[in-house]
């Protein structure tokens, strides 16, 4: 980066520059938040979601069982 480019915005969003920042931000939101991939597997199950549902992230991450926090049986 040249001296004249320093201090100028890169044109990248924060999540593009550091995807870990966006994931960390979601983990500590006060709002219950979960994220599914295109196949419906849980990628993120934040602390607020754990508190709301009583279901630890360790039991749902990587699964398609996010419904367990909200329903007695799977729904389509």
């Amino acid at each position: 980066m040249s001296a004249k480019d320093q201090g100028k915005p890169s044109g990248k969003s924060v999540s593009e520059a550091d995807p870990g920042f966006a994931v960390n931000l979601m983990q500590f939101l006060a709002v219950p938040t979960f994220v599914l991939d295109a196949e419906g597997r849980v990628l993120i199950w934040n602390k607020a979601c754990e508190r709301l549902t009583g279901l630890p992230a360790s039991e749902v991450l990587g699964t398609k069982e996010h419904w367990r926090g909200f329903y007695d049986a799977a729904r389509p």
Side-chain angles (χ1 to χ4, degrees), residues 1-75:
M1 177 182 293
S2 70
K4 71 177 186 172
D5 292 332
Q6 289 181 354
K8 288 186 179 180
S10 69
K12 291 184 178 180
S13 70
V14 172
S15 61
E16 288 175 321
D18 182 7
F21 173 81
V23 171
N24 257 349
L25 180 64
M26 281 190 269
Q27 288 294 353
F28 295 102
L29 283 174
V31 177
T33 304
F34 65 97
V35 176
L36 305 177
D37 67 10
E39 286 80 39
R41 290 185 303 256
V42 180
L43 296 176
I44 295 173
W45 188 268
N46 74 358
K47 301 288 184 190
C49 215
E50 287 182 336
R51 284 190 299 275
L52 173 71
T53 65
L55 194 59
S58 61
E59 291 187 20
V60 292
L61 287 175
T63 73
K64 294 182 178 184
E65 298 186 2
H66 53 284
W67 57 268
R68 291 178 43 215
F70 308 99
Y71 305 106
D72 293 329
R75 295 192 172 196

